């Protein structure tokens, strides 16, 4: 009887052991854990791309802001230069009227002089007929023009007082009109040159603005595409997150089902063992039953934890202006107020004045600084001895019409009408042609 009960008990335990040791869910959980790991790796890649897209958006937005500020400066510069051009145009018209008036006065004077010429000829003949001064007649007849006659006649010591008075008055009138005419024509020429410079500058500013507008549009398009890419990546990441969440829930459910099955098997084994013990009622069989219980396998967990992944201060006048490169615009007569300076609106001479002021050198009152004042601000040196920090001058719309600061290597920094503050090459091209050799050391 004992042998039969021992055999039955052993058979029951072997059967339960087979049930408990079968990996019913292990393969499925392993597959899901593998899928989960793959999804986590994909999410890491996607999130890395999302970060890259966000960084690019930040860069593009900063570039857009900088571009917007420069466009605003160019707009201000264009408006100011247009005002200056209109005023110059008005000055040209006014000066042209003055020239016309002087030409009328000159014409009247010439007519008056012709009459005086006839009078003086008659007097010279009368003098000759009456035995007067022959030298006076020779001066009149030997002169190449009436103006030449006036100059030569005044040199003759023996002239009647009446004629001397007429000649001196005529000479003064001639000299005065010539001086006025020369001054007005010089002013007119300067204004016309300035107008040409302003017209060219307006064209350059308009071209810059057009180029900046196109670049701003390009940046905006890039920003829109980058936003679209970021949204697409975020959607993909969200989809992968949902897949990961579903897998995690499935793994959790599978493990819960496995634990429930394992628990049920244990309870069934326990119940069968108890029944066998009662039937056998033998100490050895009880011991065997206890040993069988001890041999019941335990399920292992395969959970895998988710993986987680100030402006340099300028030291000297050569470099202090670099902060305005790409952040400034040229305004004829600009840079003479704090508002202009704050907005980066300079002309050539005001920029030089500002740059030197930053290193503690005062080049005179800001309101009256010009290329004329700057060329007398220091000591002139030979261009062969030029060194960084020296002022260099160029003949543009007038002699010494432009000034910059030599930086070395055949280059200078200055406020150029075509670029705003920039470093330009003076060893070739346009600026080499315009450089007049004037170098001033402060």
């Amino acid at each position: 009887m004992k042998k039969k009960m021992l055999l039955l008990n052993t058979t029951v335990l072997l059967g339960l052991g087979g049930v408990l040791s079968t990996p019913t869910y292990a393969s499925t959980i392993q597959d899901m854990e593998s899928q989960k790991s793959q999804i986590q790796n994909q999410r890491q890649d996607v999130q890395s791309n999302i970060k890259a897209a966000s960084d690019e958006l930040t860069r593009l937005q900063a570039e857009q802001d900088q571009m917007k500020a420069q466009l605003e400066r160019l707009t201000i510069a264009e408006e100011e230069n247009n005002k200056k051009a209109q005023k110059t145009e008005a000055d040209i018209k006014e000066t042209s009227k003055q020239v016309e008036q002087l030409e009328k006065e000159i014409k009247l004077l010439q007519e008056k002089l012709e009459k005086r010429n006839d009078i003086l000829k008659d007097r010279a003949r009368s003098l000759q007929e009456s035995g007067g001064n022959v030298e006076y007649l020779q001066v009149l007849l030997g002169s190449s023009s009436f103006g030449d006659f006036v100059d030569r006649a005044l040199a003759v010591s023996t002239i009647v007082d009446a004629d001397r008075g007429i000649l001196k008055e005529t000479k003064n009138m001639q000299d005065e009109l010539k001086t006025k005419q020369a001054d007005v024509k010089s002013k007119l020429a300067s204004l016309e040159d300035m107008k040409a410079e302003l017209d060219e500058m307006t064209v350059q500013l308009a071209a810059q603005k057009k180029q900046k507008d196109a670049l701003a549009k390009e940046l905006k398009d890039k920003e829109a595409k980058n936003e679209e890419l970021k949204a697409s990546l975020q959607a993909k990441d969200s989809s992968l997150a949902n897949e990961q969440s579903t897998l995690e829930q499935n793994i959790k459910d599978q493990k819960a089902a496995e634990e429930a099955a394992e628990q049920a098997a244990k309870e069934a084994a326990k119940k069968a063992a108890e029944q066998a013990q009662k039937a056998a009622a033998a100490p050895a069989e009880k011991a065997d039953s206890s040993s069988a219980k001890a041999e019941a396998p335990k399920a292992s967990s395969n959970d895998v934890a988710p993986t987680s992944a100030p402006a340099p201060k300028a030291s000297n006048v050569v470099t202090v202006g670099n902060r305005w490169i790409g952040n400034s615009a040229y305004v004829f007569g600009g840079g003479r107020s704090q508002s202009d300076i704050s907005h980066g609106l300079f002309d050539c001479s005001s920029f030089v004045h500002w740059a030197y002021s930053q290193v503690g050198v005062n080049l005179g009152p800001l309101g009256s600084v010009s290329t004329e004042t700057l060329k007398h601000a220091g000591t002139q040196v030979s261009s062969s001895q030029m060194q960084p920090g020296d002022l260099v001058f160029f003949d543009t719309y007038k002699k010494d019409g432009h000034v910059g600061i030599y930086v070395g290597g055949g280059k200078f920094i200055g406020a150029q009408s075509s670029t705003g503050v920039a470093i330009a090459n003076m060893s070739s091209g346009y600026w080499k042609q315009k450089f007049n050799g004037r170098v001033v050391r402060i």
Side-chain angles (χ1 to χ4, degrees), residues 48-82:
S48 176
N49 290 334
I50 289 173
K51 183 180 183 304
S54 296
D55 292 343
E56 179 65 7
L57 276 173
T58 300
R59 186 191 70 78
L60 288 172
Q61 287 166 356
E63 197 170 342
Q64 278 272 53
D65 292 341
Q66 184 178 4
M67 188 69 62
K68 183 179 178 181
Q70 182 64 1
L71 283 171
E72 289 175 354
R73 278 189 287 269
L74 289 174
T75 299
I76 294 172
E78 189 175 23
E79 291 173 353
E80 291 299 320
N81 287 321
N82 283 338

Side-chain angles (χ1 to χ4, degrees), residues 145-441:
S145 66
F146 186 69
D148 182 35
F149 163 71
V150 172
D151 292 333
R152 295 175 67 177
L154 287 173
V156 177
S157 58
T158 56
I159 303 175
V160 295
D161 291 339
D163 289 351
R164 180 178 286 108
I166 293 173
L167 290 169
K168 285 184 176 179
E169 181 184 358
T170 303
K171 176 65 175 175
N172 291 337
M173 291 174 67
Q174 281 183 322
D175 292 344
E176 182 181 358
L177 279 174
K178 284 181 180 178
T179 301
K180 284 184 179 180
Q181 189 177 36
D183 290 344
V184 173
K185 284 187 175 180
S186 175
K187 180 181 178 183
L188 180 60
S190 178
L191 287 171
E192 287 174 343
D193 288 342
M194 185 186 296
K195 179 64 167 51
E197 180 88 355
L198 286 166
D199 288 343
E200 182 181 352
M201 190 187 313
T202 300
V203 172
Q204 290 171 343
L205 288 169
Q208 284 185 64
K209 193 169 182 296
K210 185 177 180 180
Q211 183 180 7
K212 299 287 185 185
D213 283 333
L215 186 55
K217 184 179 182 302
E218 183 182 343
L219 287 173
K220 197 69 177 176
D221 291 343
K222 285 183 180 179
E223 188 176 327
K225 288 180 181 178
N226 212 64
E227 286 280 12
E228 185 179 345
L229 173 62
K230 182 180 177 182
S232 174
L233 289 169
Q234 288 174 331
K236 184 175 181 181
D237 183 62
S238 178
S239 176
L240 288 171
N242 289 335
E243 288 185 41
Q244 181 179 335
S245 178
T246 300
L247 279 170
E248 288 173 348
Q249 185 60 45
N250 290 341
I251 291 171
K252 183 178 179 181
D253 292 344
Q254 289 284 43
K255 287 183 177 180
E258 181 180 317
E259 290 174 358
E262 188 176 335
Q263 185 62 33
K266 285 182 179 180
E267 291 178 358
K270 182 179 179 182
K271 185 175 180 180
E274 289 175 353
Q275 290 176 352
Q277 288 173 357
K278 289 180 181 180
E285 292 174 353
K286 289 180 181 179
D288 290 341
S289 176
S290 298
S291 177
K293 290 180 183 179
E295 291 174 358
K298 295 183 179 179
S300 61
S301 174
N302 294 321
D303 285 346
V304 178
T307 58
S308 61
K313 187 174 181 180
S315 59
N316 56 59
V317 73
V318 174
T319 59
V320 72
N322 290 349
R323 60 170 287 193
W324 294 115
I325 296 176
N327 297 306
S328 60
Y330 186 96
V331 173
F332 204 100
R336 286 164 180 76
S337 69
Q338 189 55 50
S339 175
D340 279 359
I341 294 172
S342 298
H343 288 88
L345 304 177
F346 296 97
D347 66 7
C348 61
S349 53
S350 66
F351 170 74
V352 169
H353 187 284
W354 173 86
Y356 269 93
S357 71
Q358 301 305 297
V359 295
V361 178
N362 185 356
L363 296 181
L366 176 59
S368 59
V369 66
S370 67
T371 54
E372 289 298 313
T373 64
L374 291 175
K375 74 182 185 182
H376 300 296
T379 303
Q380 292 198 31
V381 298
S382 170
S383 59
S384 62
Q385 298 176 334
M386 190 162 46
Q387 64 185 33
D390 290 345
L391 304 188
V392 287
F393 290 79
F394 306 84
D395 293 343
T396 51
Y397 74 97
K398 67 174 184 176
K399 185 169 180 61
D400 299 316
H402 188 70
V403 63
I405 302 171
Y406 187 65
V407 300
K411 297 179 179 180
F412 74 98
I413 185 170
Q416 276 72 261
S417 61
S418 59
T419 58
V421 175
I423 294 176
N425 189 352
M426 59 182 289
S427 60
S428 64
Y430 176 82
W431 291 112
K432 181 180 180 180
Q433 296 173 5
K434 297 297 181 180
F435 178 53
N436 62 18
R438 188 187 299 278
V439 180
V440 173
R441 184 161 297 160

